[in-house]
Amino acid sequence: MPRISVIIPAYNEEKSIAHVIKDIPANMVQEVIVVNNNSSDNTSEVARAAGATVLDEPRPGYGNACLKGIAYVAAKPRQEQPDIILFLDGDYSDYPGELPQVVQPILDGKADLVIGSRVLGQREVGALMPQQIFGNWLATTLLRWLYGVRYTDLGPFRAIRFSTLQQLGMRDRNYGWTVEMQARAAKQKIRYVEVPVNYRKRIGVSKVSGTVKGSVLAGYKILLTIFKLL
């Protein structure tokens, strides 16, 4: 069985993070890594008590948290590094129990990157805000026109071979993280597939789509990243 590590960026997720960790299939995962992204609540303590490895990243930004987790994994001895990295959010909007179907295309040798598509799966009413639905449509349409790849979503629930992730050279430190991964994969002709995943309303208020400022900044950064990487 390939070694799988899960990286969960988390900002003020003390009410949800234990649920996320508990639902991850323990028999398939080598390590659950929660990156505490400058939380002001008890996210770290709750995650650690639930059995996760907790890293602290004081610099705000989703990408900063992901990069912190990657650096931690990369610093391990080669024989202890994972074969596959899986990313998901800490707000319990994803269904961690769907991990097997997200990693299966990689295990089958059919892909090196798998995106869990909330568009193809079942969504609880109100789980995705209108601005998220429109932003996803716009971003994936631009990726199709400019990069020749057919995605339906920029979903956070995704799996990638660790060697492929290192090859991509990820740099984005905030809102552009997911689209950067997909754009870089397209440029490097990485094999990818999408699989349907279900999605529910998050626990708590979104730090991005839950505010006008967050939505505008995220949309701007996503579009900027798409054009910058051409």
Side-chain angles (χ1 to χ4, degrees):
M1 185 68 186
R3 297 186 297 273
I4 301 174
S5 290
V6 177
I7 295 177
I8 308 173
Y11 171 62
N12 288 345
E13 309 289 8
E14 66 177 5
K15 295 180 180 179
S16 57
I17 193 65
H19 297 292
V20 177
I21 296 168
K22 176 178 65 69
D23 285 1
I24 294 171
N27 62 322
M28 293 189 66
V29 171
Q30 178 186 32
E31 186 175 19
V32 176
I33 304 158
V34 172
V35 184
N36 175 37
N37 193 205
N38 201 35
S39 297
S40 58
D41 65 4
N42 295 317
T43 294
S44 289
E45 293 82 356
V46 175
R48 194 172 287 112
T53 298
V54 177
L55 310 177
D56 287 314
E57 174 49 77
R59 295 170 296 176
Y62 188 90
N64 276 327
C66 291
L67 290 168
K68 182 80 170 192
I70 294 169
Y72 164 79
V73 170
K76 289 176 174 285
R78 181 65 190 92
Q79 65 273 17
E80 296 179 16
Q81 293 177 0
D83 302 296
I84 298 171
I85 295 286
L86 185 131
F87 296 92
L88 76 161
D89 281 351
D91 57 16
Y92 208 43
S93 54
D94 301 312
Y95 286 76
E98 295 180 337
L99 181 149
Q101 53 260 46
V102 175
V103 301
Q104 195 61 48
I106 298 178
L107 301 181
D108 291 340
K110 296 178 180 178
D112 302 300
L113 168 65
V114 181
I115 306 297
S117 172
R118 302 164 294 182
V119 174
L120 299 177
Q122 298 295 315
R123 301 192 306 273
E124 184 180 354
V125 176
L128 282 178
M129 303 294 286
Q131 60 268 32
Q132 289 177 286
I133 295 172
F134 173 75
N136 261 324
W137 172 82
L138 178 60
T140 54
T141 298
L142 289 173
L143 286 170
R144 183 172 72 251
W145 289 350
L146 300 174
Y147 291 83
V149 288
R150 292 187 173 272
Y151 294 109
T152 63
D153 197 6
L154 305 180
F157 198 178
R158 54 184 58 203
I160 185 170
R161 292 187 192 276
F162 184 49
S163 57
T164 302
L165 182 59
Q166 291 178 301
Q167 174 186 325
L168 290 182
M170 295 290 295
R171 297 177 184 173
D172 192 86
R173 296 189 174 275
N174 45 58
Y175 304 111
W177 174 268
T178 55
V179 74
E180 181 195 20
M181 184 181 293
Q182 288 164 251
R184 287 187 182 276
K187 291 193 71 173
Q188 296 183 28
K189 308 298 182 185
I190 301 298
R191 298 180 305 160
Y192 74 93
V193 297
E194 286 188 316
V195 298
V197 295
N198 296 317
Y199 200 66
R200 61 192 155 205
K201 292 181 181 177
R202 57 165 292 139
I203 295 177
V205 179
S206 172
K207 292 80 177 175
V208 179
S209 61
T211 67
V212 173
K213 179 182 178 182
S215 297
V216 171
L217 289 175
Y220 169 77
K221 185 58 182 290
I222 287 170
L223 294 177
L224 178 65
T225 301
I226 290 173
F227 287 103
K228 182 176 70 174
L229 292 176
L230 278 174

